[in-house]
């Protein structure tokens, strides 16, 4: 799907792609853990029948249950943190210290 619209720099074309079923299910899984609610959300995003999406949500949940992710902590079980500080240097047109 694309749409043309005019700007002061000339005509522009914007491409709009609807989400795939996998993307819709992934988005629904991020919102809720209940499979029936995930199917309803994904079906409304895609405009598909609820029965079709429910089957795909169940397949996806089985696959995700098998592939558990593991997080391995660093030394002594503590996580490392990094603090980044930014030093702001302000320069003015005339420096009062040097008189320029």
């Amino acid at each position: 799907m694309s749409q043309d619209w005019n700007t002061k720099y000339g005509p522009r074309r914007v491409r709009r792609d609807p989400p795939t079923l996998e993307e819709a299910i992934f988005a629904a899984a991020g919102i809720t853990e209940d499979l029936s609610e995930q199917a309803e959300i994904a079906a409304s995003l895609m405009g598909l029948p609820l029965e079709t999406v429910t089957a795909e949500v169940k397949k996806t949940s089985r696959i995700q249950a098998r592939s558990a992710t593991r997080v391995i902590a660093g030394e002594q079980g503590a996580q490392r943190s990094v603090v980044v500080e930014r030093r702001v240097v302000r320069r003015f047109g005339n420096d009062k210290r040097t008189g320029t």
Side-chain angles (χ1 to χ4, degrees):
M1 252 192 260
S2 66
Q3 176 182 358
D4 293 341
W5 49 285
N6 293 323
T7 66
K8 65 181 182 180
Y9 302 108
R12 300 289 184 232
R13 179 172 290 169
V14 178
R15 182 176 170 182
R16 294 190 179 143
D17 292 328
T20 63
L21 185 55
E22 288 180 4
E23 292 170 340
I25 292 171
F26 181 78
I31 295 172
T32 182
E33 293 182 8
D34 185 27
L35 295 180
S36 62
E37 290 178 4
Q38 287 179 12
E40 289 178 20
I41 293 170
S44 66
L45 285 173
M46 296 297 300
L48 294 174
L50 184 60
E51 296 79 27
T52 306
V53 177
T54 303
E56 289 297 319
V57 167
K58 288 180 182 178
K59 286 180 193 175
T60 304
S61 68
R62 280 189 232 129
I63 292 170
Q64 288 176 353
R66 285 187 213 147
S67 62
T69 58
R70 295 182 184 176
V71 177
I72 300 171
E75 275 185 57
Q76 302 170 349
Q79 293 184 2
R80 297 175 59 179
S81 61
V82 177
V83 177
V84 178
E85 294 181 3
R86 180 176 159 212
R87 185 174 144 226
V88 178
V89 178
R90 296 184 183 176
R91 297 183 188 208
F92 299 99
N94 54 357
D95 191 356
K96 293 180 182 176
R97 290 177 286 166
T98 59
T100 58

